[in-house]
């Protein structure tokens, strides 16, 4: 007893190198950027990282790092046609079909488990891990990995505090003042918006529990039962495993706004993916930006949506519009482009953080993805948002609400609308001031997100799953939380009393009748 106590105290004081399994198979480029943030900071801290990813990294993270390539998952995204801006502009796509998104997440999990390299890896009984960290986008089936390796489960969520995620470790957030990432509402909510948010949670929960969860449960059993049997163990119940997570990291920060109250084992580590210090710009770009004393406008539609798919006539109109400004325009454009105006420079690949970090960068024209939005705040750059899909609408709405952004819709009128927005922003310094203010709030934290990540991962491992951080809420049934059992008891007692009273009075009446007769 004494020895094990001593051992525990010693493990708290000394950090060993831990074996970490990072599981990020969802095929989207930004997921790779986020996942690599985890890789970088955990390998820097001396841990041994195995990274299962769709976005294979070429960077060298040393001998403590290996990756398992599941980039075949990209095939399911249907490659270009789906992520084609022209298609969005002409035909439109379903922007917030949660079922479709859930289906994607499920299929990518299903496929990932079936690739030969992943199967061999999972079947290898010599593999051991101290902790599993998996992406939590719309599927929770990866919780099975922590069962397989008999270690704590940590999740990485690529967005902010969301009810579907919070429910795993505590309470769903209250829909009367928090909104779904697909709804585009921002608190304070109107009566109608409160109903919309309530409905979003009811419908979302329903589709999750009736449609997706049974499939996930079956996948969990199909994949993990044989693996556990091979290791001489039996598979625990999925529900039990699902609500047994130790920790969640979310890719957001309070500076962006409306964060609900969050549990102790939930940390916002937005900005984790941004290198510190920032990598220097390539020489040509550095001197171009240094020379641009009128300022630089940086334009990028992100890593998934590519500018080269913007319709030709819109591209030409954009070039004409840009040529009318005396600012330098740096446009992340993934193909050749003829007849460029003198002040427009295209880059097939752009070192975005390093560009935004340059003091001459005045305006960021962005699609408003979560990582780009974080970078805009990190470097304090005013934003013109052109959202296309998904959480981009709500991100841009938040940015507009916070006063550092202007929204421009993605239409064939893009060039004209952008011109007005750029003119407005150049004429009014408040957008950039506000961006700088929020940036100051964002940077004012006790430790960097990287330190926070490493600290909590080590804490979870050292304390055997950080049970002391768990909300008691996960052990209480939903009907107990809203005291339905009590209501049922009171109703039963009242009902019984009413029945007895009724029986008594009718007996009394009968007795009186008998007496009269
Ligand atoms: C994008 O979609 C448009 C309209 O359907 C089509 O004409 C164009 O070829 C597509 N481009 C690519 C690269 O898929
Ligand atoms: C729940 O998590 C803890 C801490 O990681 C672990 O010790 C326990 O075995 C887990 N229970 C199940 C059923 O997986």
């Amino acid at each position: 007893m004494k020895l094990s106590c001593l051992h525990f105290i010693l493990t708290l004081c000394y950090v060993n190198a831990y074996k970490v399994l990072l599981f990020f198979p969802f095929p989207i480029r930004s997921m790779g950027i986020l996942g690599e943030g985890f890789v970088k900071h955990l390998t820097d801290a001396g841990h041994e990282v195995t990274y299962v990813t769709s976005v294979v990294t070429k960077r060298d993270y040393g001998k403590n790092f290996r990756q398992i390539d599941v980039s075949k998952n990209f095939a399911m995204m249907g490659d270009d046609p789906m992520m084609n801006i022209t298609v969005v502009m002409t035909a439109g796509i379903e922007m917030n079909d949660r079922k479709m998104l859930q289906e994607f997440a499920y299929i990518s999990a299903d496929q990932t488990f079936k690739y030969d390299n992943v199967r061999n890896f999972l079947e290898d009984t010599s593999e051991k891990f101290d902790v599993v960290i998996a992406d939590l986008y719309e599927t929770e089936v990866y919780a099975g990995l922590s069962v397989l390796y008999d270690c704590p489960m940590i999740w990485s969520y690529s967005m902010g505090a969301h009810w579907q995620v919070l429910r795993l470790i505590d309470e769903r957030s209250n829909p009367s003042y928090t909104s779904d990432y697909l709804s585009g509402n921002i608190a304070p909510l109107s009566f109608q918006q409160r109903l919309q948010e309530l409905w979003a949670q009811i419908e979302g929960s329903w589709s999750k529990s009736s449609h997706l969860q049974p499939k996930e449960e079956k996948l969990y059993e199909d994949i993990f039962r044989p693996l556990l049997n091979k290791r001489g163990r039996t598979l625990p119940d999925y529900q039990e495993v699902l609500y047994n997570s130790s920790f969640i990291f979310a890719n957001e920060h309070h500076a962006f706004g409306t964060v609900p109250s969050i549990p102790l084992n939930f940390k916002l580590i937005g900005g984790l993916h941004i290198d510190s210090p920032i990598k220097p710009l390539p020489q040509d770009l550095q001197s171009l930006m240094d020379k641009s004393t009128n300022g630089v406008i940086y334009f990028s539609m992100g890593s998934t949506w590519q500018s080269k798919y913007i319709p030709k006539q819109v591209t030409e109109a954009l070039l004409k519009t840009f040529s009318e400004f005396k600012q330098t325009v740096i446009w992340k454009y993934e193909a050749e482009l003829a007849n460029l105006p003198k002040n427009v420079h295209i880059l097939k690949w752009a070192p975005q953080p390093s560009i935004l970090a340059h003091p001459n960068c005045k305006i960021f024209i962005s699609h408003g993805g979560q990582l780009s939005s974080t970078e805009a705040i990190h470097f304090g750059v005013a934003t013109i948002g052109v959202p296309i899909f998904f959480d981009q609408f709500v991100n841009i709405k938040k940015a507009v609400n916070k006063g550092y952004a202007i929204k421009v819709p993605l239409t064939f009128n893009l060039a004209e609308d952008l011109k007005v927005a750029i003119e407005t922003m150049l004429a009014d310094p408040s957008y950039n001031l506000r961006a700088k203010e929020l940036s100051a709030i964002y940077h004012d934290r006790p430790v960097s997100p990287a330190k926070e990540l490493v600290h909590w991962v080590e804490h979870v491992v050292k304390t055997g799953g950080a049970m002391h951080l768990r909300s008691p809420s996960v052990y209480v049934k939903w009907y107990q939380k809203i005291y339905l059992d009590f209501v049922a008891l009171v109703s039963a007692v009242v009902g019984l009393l009413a029945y007895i009273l009724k029986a008594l009075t009718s007996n009394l009446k009968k007795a009186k009748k008998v007496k009269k007769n």
Side-chain angles (χ1 to χ4, degrees):
M1 187 62 209
K2 256 190 196 141
L3 249 177
S4 75
C5 187
L6 187 69
H7 175 79
F8 182 72
I9 292 166
L10 281 178
T11 50
L12 273 184
C13 300
Y14 296 100
V15 173
N16 304 308
Y18 296 136
K19 286 179 190 286
V20 183
L21 174 60
L22 285 179
F23 217 80
F24 283 69
F26 194 72
I28 189 148
R29 307 239 163 254
S30 48
M31 194 66 82
I33 299 174
L34 186 62
E36 250 189 273
F38 281 80
V39 170
K40 177 174 192 313
H41 301 305
L42 291 169
T43 50
D44 277 356
H47 300 302
E48 206 176 292
V49 172
T50 301
Y51 182 40
V52 176
T53 178
S54 285
V55 189
V56 174
T57 175
K58 293 187 192 76
R59 274 209 207 173
D60 179 17
Y61 290 101
K63 63 174 181 12
N64 276 346
F65 175 67
R66 67 173 159 165
Q67 55 190 336
I68 295 176
D69 177 349
V70 294
S71 55
K72 279 189 231 159
N73 277 341
F74 270 103
M76 98 183 170
M77 297 294 272
D79 284 338
D80 290 347
M82 193 191 143
M83 299 300 180
N84 177 338
I85 291 184
T86 300
V87 175
V88 178
M89 289 172 74
T90 48
I93 51 169
E94 186 56 73
M95 297 299 172
N96 49 8
D97 182 346
R98 187 190 303 276
K99 269 219 177 102
M100 181 191 85
L101 298 168
Q102 289 181 340
E103 196 64 25
F104 261 160
Y106 169 78
I107 293 171
S108 75
D110 184 47
Q111 288 185 353
T112 299
F113 287 135
K114 286 171 185 156
Y115 296 135
D116 284 342
N117 57 348
V118 177
R119 271 235 307 271
N120 292 339
F121 166 69
L122 295 177
E123 278 173 8
D124 184 348
T125 51
S126 70
E127 295 284 0
K128 303 227 163 14
F129 290 97
D130 296 303
V131 63
V132 173
I133 306 177
D135 167 50
L136 186 47
Y137 180 66
E138 290 291 351
T139 180
E140 291 132 10
V141 67
Y142 304 128
L145 292 163
S146 72
V147 177
L148 178 63
Y149 297 112
D150 197 15
C151 67
M153 183 72 213
I154 296 180
W155 295 104
S156 154
Y157 189 55
S158 50
M159 292 178 275
H162 183 256
W163 61 268
Q164 189 167 294
V165 168
L166 290 170
R167 85 181 207 292
L168 292 181
I169 51 171
D170 194 13
E171 294 284 334
R172 289 170 163 78
S173 42
N174 189 322
S176 68
Y177 56 86
T178 56
S179 37
D180 196 273
Y181 67 89
L182 293 176
S183 78
N185 293 326
I186 293 178
L189 304 177
S190 69
F191 178 74
Q192 194 188 351
Q193 288 171 332
R194 278 194 295 123
L195 289 184
Q196 279 172 3
E197 293 304 332
L198 178 63
W199 178 241
Q201 281 202 19
I202 293 173
E203 200 217 358
S205 306
W206 169 251
S207 91
K208 176 92 198 175
S209 62
S210 68
H211 167 75
L212 192 66
Q213 209 152 294
K215 287 196 338 193
E216 286 175 327
E217 191 163 344
K218 179 159 187 316
L219 185 61
Y220 163 81
E221 283 169 7
D222 290 350
I223 300 297
F224 291 103
R225 175 159 294 135
L227 290 172
L228 254 80
N229 289 348
K230 203 170 163 195
R231 290 171 187 237
R233 289 160 45 211
T234 51
L235 191 71
D237 186 47
Y238 186 59
Q239 290 294 326
E240 202 181 319
V241 170
L242 202 52
Y243 294 100
N244 193 34
S245 311
S246 291
F247 215 90
I248 299 180
F249 292 108
N251 179 32
E252 206 192 35
H253 187 267
H254 322 83
F256 314 160
T258 59
V259 177
S261 50
I262 48 178
L264 293 173
N265 49 354
F266 187 98
K267 293 282 178 242
L268 297 166
I269 53 165
L272 178 88
H273 72 285
I274 302 170
D275 279 336
S276 173
I278 292 298
K279 279 206 219 74
L281 281 165
Q283 201 47 55
D284 51 339
L285 216 52
Q286 179 75 41
S287 64
L288 171 69
M289 292 192 77
D290 287 346
K291 273 190 310 202
S292 305
T293 44
N294 288 317
V296 171
I297 298 170
Y298 170 59
F299 179 15
S300 167
M301 295 304 256
S303 49
T304 295
W305 297 91
Q306 308 210 328
S307 292
K308 68 177 176 186
Y309 295 149
I310 294 174
K312 198 155 173 276
Q313 69 268 39
V314 177
T315 305
E316 276 161 11
L318 281 169
L319 288 178
K320 185 166 168 300
T321 292
F322 292 152
S323 75
E324 290 162 17
F325 288 96
K326 53 184 199 296
Q327 282 70 25
T328 298
V329 176
I330 298 176
W331 185 359
K332 178 182 165 278
Y333 193 93
E334 306 78 8
E336 302 299 332
L337 204 50
N339 305 326
L340 283 181
K342 267 216 305 288
N343 66 329
V344 179
H345 302 263
I346 62 170
L347 298 174
K348 288 195 179 139
W349 172 85
Q352 181 161 301
S354 311
I355 294 175
L356 294 172
H358 195 286
N360 284 347
C361 189
K362 297 298 178 209
I363 297 179
F364 179 18
I365 305 176
S366 168
H367 68 313
Q370 183 78 1
L371 297 179
S372 289
S373 300
T374 308
E375 288 166 20
I377 292 287
H378 188 105
F379 299 107
V381 182
T383 301
I384 297 177
V386 189
I388 309 170
F389 176 66
F390 204 47
D391 63 332
Q392 294 156 12
F393 290 92
V394 78
N395 291 345
I396 295 299
K397 209 166 185 181
K398 278 190 205 165
V400 170
N401 216 29
K402 287 272 174 192
Y404 70 97
I406 296 176
K407 180 188 167 183
V408 166
L410 180 68
T411 66
F412 281 84
N413 224 27
L414 182 64
E416 289 78 2
D417 294 343
L418 266 184
K419 185 176 170 185
V420 176
I422 294 171
E423 280 167 351
T424 310
M425 205 164 257
L426 290 173
D428 181 354
S430 75
Y431 292 97
N432 258 304
L433 282 176
R434 192 70 187 121
K436 295 273 181 278
E437 243 172 66
L438 293 170
S439 186
I441 295 174
Y442 163 95
H443 285 289
D444 190 26
R445 11 180 156 179
V447 290
S448 68
K451 281 220 173 95
E452 187 117 37
L453 168 79
V454 172
H455 171 79
W456 289 112
V457 170
E458 289 173 355
H459 184 81
V460 166
V461 178
K462 280 189 288 194
T463 60
M467 301 303 281
H468 55 285
L469 294 180
R470 291 210 188 165
S471 164
S473 164
V474 289
Y475 307 112
V476 183
K477 298 261 186 293
W478 67 271
Y479 60 84
Q480 294 171 336
K481 284 181 192 163
I482 56 171
Y483 285 87
L484 261 189
D485 48 352
F486 174 67
V487 172
L489 180 70
V490 170
S491 315
V493 170
V494 170
L496 192 67
L497 283 179
Y499 177 78
I500 292 172
L501 216 65
K502 206 173 148 205
L504 276 181
T505 47
S506 75
N507 274 352
L508 221 63
K509 271 185 197 153
K510 261 190 218 152
K512 271 185 190 162
K513 253 188 199 163
V514 172
K515 228 180 179 178
K516 262 187 199 161
N517 291 345

